[in-house]
Amino acid sequence: MSAENAPKKTPLHDVHAELGANLVDFAGYLMPLRYSSETAEHKAVRTAAGLFDLSHMGEIFVSGPQAAAALDHALVGNISPMAVGKARYTMICAHDGGVLDDLIVYRLADETYLVVANAANVAVVRGALVERAAGFEAAVEDRSDSYALVALQGPDAQEILSRFTGAPLPGLKYYAIMADEVAGIDALIARTGYTGEDGFELFVDAADAVALWRALAAVEGVVPCGLSARDTLRLEAGMPLYGNELTAETTPFEAGLGRVVKFEKEGDFVGRSALEAAAQTPAGRRLVGLVARGRRAPRRGYDVVTSDGTPCGVVTSGAPSPTLGKPIAMAYLDSGVEETELAVDVRGRREPVDVVALPFYKRS
């Protein structure tokens, strides 16, 4: 592999190597898949606290007098009414309504927004934002390489993080962000995550990543967690993954996320006409949850079939659930399909499944 095609290393790469992580190429970065047992890592997040390196994610800043208006035009969400210190889950769609990426937008100041994009889509999102902001007094700057992102997730996250910061964490609501020091390091502290648990995502200068990680990891009970645990955690929580549940061929309405499309906002936005049509047209498929009756896990790309073996859908994500103790999956089912007596074709063998509402797991 040529040097220019080799996967990038996050600022925490050497730490992961020291810990013996199984490193894999994910979205162009060498990332820890697991450190030891992905089930143990998963359970640590559900019961105590897990620590994740998310430095592969993209940090794109949009600033200027018309930054809010530019984002209202570029994204499907209503960004202008957001207060400083708040965050919003939204999407950037193509003109035909297909999802280019799902995003979190943070309002850091009156005229400054942070758009966090999935690692594989940073270039697409950056390019689209630059193009769509061209008619506005707004600047788009990709600072992804300057930032590291560390997530502390789990029911003990607030208590643990409070040992390292004077920030008023109890008052920081879900989907909010503030600036403060953590372990003596300047950080943006966001109460967001991708696990279904309480927790925080900490944006810091790339040069400070190792010091922050080592401080948090030194706390008894904090378990380093890799991509495998992150995937099963988000699957249990019914959270979509771009490339699986969301694609450029999928509209937010098909994915059951039409609520993020804000037609009531003023002005036009990219994809509006197509999305208005999609909202009025019965979807040809719907995203559902599946729970296997047996022990063989449905996997991405496996067919969902009726009792006579006729394909009627496809699995988008699937894995054994450590919390439920049985295999689970998300899948697109064709419209009109009866939700009884369905199975997943697992390598030529029909494995019966039950259709359930998402999410599979919701914290108390």
Side-chain angles (χ1 to χ4, degrees), residues 94-111:
H95 288 274
D96 66 0
V99 179
L100 298 178
D101 201 12
D102 60 336
L103 314 163
I104 296 181
V105 178
Y106 301 90
R107 188 169 193 172
L108 304 181
D110 284 345
E111 297 183 356

Side-chain angles (χ1 to χ4, degrees), residues 298-320:
R299 298 291 184 179
R300 179 187 177 192
Y302 288 5
D303 285 336
V304 183
V305 298
T306 60
S307 57
D308 64 1
T310 302
C312 62
V314 64
V315 173
T316 53
S317 298

Side-chain angles (χ1 to χ4, degrees), residues 16 82 93 123 132 147 181 236 292 313 324:
H16 303 319
M82 287 174 59
C93 288
R132 297 174 188 189
Y147 276 86
E181 288 190 353
E236 288 183 349
L324 277 64

Side-chain angles (χ1 to χ4, degrees), residues 242-300:
Y242 195 88
N244 292 38
E245 288 72 43
L246 299 173
T247 69
E249 290 72 45
T250 306
T251 71
F253 296 97
E254 290 176 300
L257 294 168
R259 65 182 181 276
V260 307
V261 183
K262 303 301 183 183
F263 294 121
E264 67 272 17
K265 65 178 175 178
E266 293 183 9
D268 195 15
F269 62 89
V270 177
R272 180 173 196 137
S273 296
L275 289 168
E276 285 177 336
Q280 300 301 318
T281 305
R285 55 181 186 160
R286 63 193 185 282
L287 188 66
V288 301
L290 303 176
V291 176
R293 297 178 191 172
R295 302 185 63 84
R296 303 180 79 193
R299 298 291 184 179
R300 179 187 177 192

Side-chain angles (χ1 to χ4, degrees), residues 58-81:
E59 289 86 16
I60 302 171
F61 286 74
V62 182
S63 59
Q66 293 186 305
L71 288 170
D72 280 343
H73 172 68
L75 311 178
V76 302
N78 195 7
I79 306 303
S80 296

